[in-house]
Amino acid sequence: MKTVLEEHINEVNTGKMERPLEATRMENNTSSCFLMERKTHIKINRKEVMLAKLRKSCSCTPQKLKNFLMDFFPVLRWLPKYRIKEYIWGDVMSGLVIGIILVPQAIAYSLLAGLKPIYSLYTSFFANIIYFLMGTSRHVSVGIFSLISLMVGQVVDRELLLAGFDLNDDVPPASGDGSLQNDNLSNTTAFNLTTVGINAECGKECYAIGIATALTFMAGVYQVLMGIFRLGFVSMYLSESVLDGFATGASLTILTAQVKYLIGIKIPRSQGHGMLVITWINIFRNISQANLCDVITSAICIMVLVTAKELGDRYKHKLKFPLPTELVVIVVATLVSHYGKLNEVYASSVSGAIPTGFIPPKVPEFNLMLRVALDALPLAIVSFVFTVSLSEMFAKKYAYTIQANQEMFAVGFCNIIPSFFHSFATSAALAKTLVKTSTGCQTQISGVISAMVVLLVLLFLAPLFYSLQKCVLACIIIVSLRGALRKFRDVPARYHVNKVDTLVWVVTMSASALVSTEIGLLVGIVFSMLCIIARTQRPRTALLGQIQGTSFYEDDFEYENLSTVPKVKIFRFEAPLYYANRNYFLKSLYRLTNLDPNLEAARRKKYEKKEKQHLKKGNHRTANGLGIGETTLQLVPKQIDFQALVVDCSSISFLDTTGVNTLKEILKDYKNLNISVLLACCNPSVIDSLKRGGYFGKDFGCMQEMLFYSIHNAVLFAKDQKLPADCSV
């Protein structure tokens, strides 16, 4: 067997074999060496593959066109297979319930977006129709979402200020006929906005929706481009902690923005960083001007809404569908406001005229797109991430699959197409999706039903909400934030599970609330990535001991009754070894083994120099009082209690050039002290990096005595043998 082994090794050394062989010692018999033959992987000509894919994609056949249409409009696949008797009742019920919920929420969220309620209704209508055609999830509800509305509203407010409009105009609501021609009356001053992209006189409301549609169009374009280039992986950088922290911080901002409507005071609308703090300062300064009618109305509405929500949550298993509390509150509040003349008598702020019908479509202004192009990027990412996350969650729950790339196209066109029809950005919303599933939703037919309910309001019922108080809408928004604000209760449990994730949540939440939502999202992503880098920069390191009576080894710091291996140190590094953690790797190794080879080498040189000086002076006794023959004993310090170092590479996923050089460095440094360095449990990619870096020598001649498939094999080898003298780097 030895002869065969030697022949194989010679072939490896001389390079005569075509396929690479890796020699390593295995099992308990240290005299046996097995050669592991690596598979030959055929190198792929990427240029030819890309050309082939390009030719295939450019070719057009009837079948390929059909498949493209089926993929782009998934409704063509599942609608012909629709089981009417089995699905229709659940879809109709969930569609009606969601439609009823959508109407008050759409009107309320218009406050967040800084737009008239009619535009929120347009958004809800078009988003449901388009997602029905293009979406792959059966259950998510796409439409108005509070966080997206807030992000749109912040951009709209900023651009209105820059254009010279007064954000605090509170013009009494026009008592017009509800037609769409009264739109420009919302601001009595008309501005010539040629310099910012609109080549005609345009009022405040006209300019606000122009900004919103340009922002929405750009967000949709980004999402479609991300789908074309398959950049859905971007969502992976938004961890659960980042998303939860962002949602909670944005919820605090939303809550703060609604307080002035809640108590009926008129304060400047803060913009820029620190909006939350500035707004609360202004609220307390003007608290004496609170409208008593709005305060009483808000208190009653919040009490009713919260009580109904809590009862609904407690008895949701007994209820066939959720109580339409928001709609009931809006209807009752509108009737009380109308017949009690709350606007005229108590100066309570009301919604005003909501026109019926549709505004003729209009192309978003190109110059405005350039102004909001940067703002549209975080909006596009947040919208896509929330939609895909919810889609995957409910697809897993109900045992079907979604196509993430198609979801990106779907939500992209839910923004692009409606932007021509005076709508703003949309996303999937968790609360409405939960309601859909709880009311028996089976397919996106329910979305069409919801769109029909909104259409009914758009065409006939919108003027009936004229007397609806804004404080009632603010109450609906605030109560809808319960889920996000309850995340504060989960902080102790989150901290117990993972302290780093909790820190990411706190930082993201604080930045989103105290600075701005966009900055908060960016801070959360960057901080989360820095935490990952920090974990790899300063990973866990350990010296291992042997579990008694076994061939297994574990962390000596964590477990009791582990046996130390005489003359052998076993070091584990639980991270990739690369340029950022090289110094930490060396410091940990030197600290745990209680030996820095560089310092020891310097100490030895100093000692040898001192001994030579004594010899030149004719003193045959050393500084320590020993004879010349005894001097060599002093060259081995007492603190070196091992002759072999085993590095457990099982947790090292990859090595870069710095990592390979670091291992070569310790191999050389320890060899100078007559200490062997053995590597155990290396994965193939690490072995390849070591071979390319010349760790095993030019011909890999010493590879079989430096590389082991288990720690135990390395320990047995270290006990019985030493590295050959010619095994050097």
Side-chain angles (χ1 to χ4, degrees), residues 162-340:
L162 293 175
F165 289 105
D166 183 6
L167 294 181
N168 303 306
D169 280 351
D170 193 14
V171 181
S175 57
D177 58 359
S179 68
L180 296 169
Q181 304 304 320
N182 294 324
D183 177 51
N184 284 339
L185 296 178
S186 60
N187 192 330
T188 55
T189 305
F191 288 77
N192 191 327
L193 299 172
T194 309
T195 57
V196 293
I198 298 180
N199 297 317
E201 288 192 347
C202 184
K204 174 183 174 182
E205 184 58 33
C206 166
Y207 187 60
I209 191 59
I211 292 292
T213 54
L215 179 68
T216 301
F217 181 84
M218 288 303 301
V221 169
Y222 288 147
Q223 289 165 337
V224 171
L225 290 176
M226 290 168 69
I228 292 173
F229 294 105
R230 301 188 177 276
L231 299 179
F233 68 87
V234 173
S235 63
M236 294 187 297
Y237 294 101
L238 296 176
S239 65
E240 182 180 349
S241 299
V242 171
L243 287 176
D244 283 349
F246 172 71
T248 306
S251 297
L252 292 175
T253 304
I254 293 171
L255 172 65
T256 301
Q258 299 309 301
V259 170
K260 69 174 186 178
Y261 298 110
L262 209 66
I263 59 179
I265 62 175
K266 295 178 175 61
I267 58 174
R269 291 172 66 175
S270 303
Q271 277 291 304
H273 304 330
M275 183 272 284
L276 183 140
V277 176
I278 296 172
T279 302
W280 278 107
I281 292 174
N282 289 329
I283 288 172
F284 285 113
R285 282 178 177 173
N286 297 274
I287 195 71
S288 59
Q289 302 174 10
N291 188 304
L292 185 61
C293 177
D294 286 343
V295 172
I296 295 174
T297 303
S298 299
I300 295 173
C301 289
I302 288 178
M303 183 177 64
V304 172
L305 288 168
V306 171
T307 303
K309 292 289 185 183
E310 292 296 330
L311 291 175
D313 292 342
R314 182 173 298 182
Y315 299 107
K316 61 183 177 181
H317 300 295
K318 297 182 180 180
L319 297 173
K320 292 184 177 179
F321 55 88
L323 299 173
T325 314
E326 291 93 344
L327 185 64
V328 173
V329 167
I330 280 184
V331 170
V332 173
T334 302
L335 292 174
V336 171
S337 176
H338 177 72
Y339 290 105

Side-chain angles (χ1 to χ4, degrees), residues 45 87 95 103 126 211 261 305 311 319 336 346 355 372 379 390 411 413 443 562 595 605 628 638 657 681:
N45 190 326
Y87 293 163
V103 172
F126 286 109
I211 292 292
Y261 298 110
L305 288 168
L311 291 175
L319 297 173
V336 171
Y346 300 102
V372 299
L379 186 68
L390 286 179
V411 73
F413 281 101
T443 67
L562 296 182
L595 175 64
K605 288 181 180 179
I628 298 175
K638 294 179 180 179
T657 304
C681 308

Side-chain angles (χ1 to χ4, degrees), residues 270-535:
S270 303
Q271 277 291 304
H273 304 330
M275 183 272 284
L276 183 140
V277 176
I278 296 172
T279 302
W280 278 107
I281 292 174
N282 289 329
I283 288 172
F284 285 113
R285 282 178 177 173
N286 297 274
I287 195 71
S288 59
Q289 302 174 10
N291 188 304
L292 185 61
C293 177
D294 286 343
V295 172
I296 295 174
T297 303
S298 299
I300 295 173
C301 289
I302 288 178
M303 183 177 64
V304 172
L305 288 168
V306 171
T307 303
K309 292 289 185 183
E310 292 296 330
L311 291 175
D313 292 342
R314 182 173 298 182
Y315 299 107
K316 61 183 177 181
H317 300 295
K318 297 182 180 180
L319 297 173
K320 292 184 177 179
F321 55 88
L323 299 173
T325 314
E326 291 93 344
L327 185 64
V328 173
V329 167
I330 280 184
V331 170
V332 173
T334 302
L335 292 174
V336 171
S337 176
H338 177 72
Y339 290 105
K341 300 183 183 296
L342 300 184
N343 176 247
E344 294 84 351
V345 177
Y346 300 102
S348 179
S349 181
V350 297
S351 298
I354 303 178
T356 57
F358 287 91
I359 301 175
K362 181 182 178 182
V363 178
E365 294 288 340
F366 179 75
N367 289 338
L368 295 182
M369 294 181 201
L370 298 179
R371 294 180 65 87
V372 299
L374 190 60
D375 301 292
L377 186 58
L379 186 68
I381 294 174
V382 172
S383 173
F384 161 70
V385 168
F386 274 102
T387 302
V388 172
S389 299
L390 286 179
S391 299
E392 290 178 344
M393 180 194 307
F394 287 94
K396 183 178 180 180
K397 182 177 180 180
Y398 292 97
Y400 64 92
T401 59
I402 66 158
Q403 300 173 19
N405 211 54
Q406 179 60 26
E407 285 294 298
M408 192 177 287
F409 283 124
V411 73
F413 281 101
C414 279
N415 287 323
I416 290 177
I417 297 175
S419 68
F420 290 85
F421 296 90
H422 309 277
S423 303
F424 55 90
T426 58
S427 170
L430 176 60
K432 292 193 286 290
T433 303
L434 289 173
V435 172
K436 283 186 74 169
T437 56
S438 65
T439 51
C441 171
Q442 299 292 332
T443 67
Q444 284 298 333
I445 290 288
S446 63
V448 178
I449 303 298
S450 300
M452 295 303 104
V453 175
V454 176
L455 181 63
L456 181 66
V457 175
L458 277 170
L459 296 180
F460 304 107
L461 305 179
L464 299 179
F465 296 101
Y466 175 89
S467 299
L468 177 61
Q469 293 167 273
K470 289 184 178 180
C471 65
V472 177
L473 300 177
C475 291
I476 293 174
I477 293 173
I478 290 173
V479 173
S480 70
L481 301 175
R482 289 186 316 145
L485 296 177
R486 279 178 175 172
K487 297 291 183 181
F488 284 103
R489 296 191 313 184
D490 301 334
V491 172
R494 188 189 293 270
Y495 182 81
H496 179 72
V497 173
N498 193 301
K499 295 178 178 60
V500 175
D501 285 348
T502 307
L503 184 61
V504 171
W505 183 89
V506 171
V507 169
T508 308
M509 182 273 299
S510 303
S512 299
L514 300 177
V515 185
S516 70
T517 51
E518 294 85 356
I519 297 297
L521 182 63
L522 180 61
V523 167
I525 295 172
V526 172
F527 186 75
S528 178
M529 296 178 69
L530 288 176
C531 287
I532 295 173
I533 295 173
R535 290 183 188 184

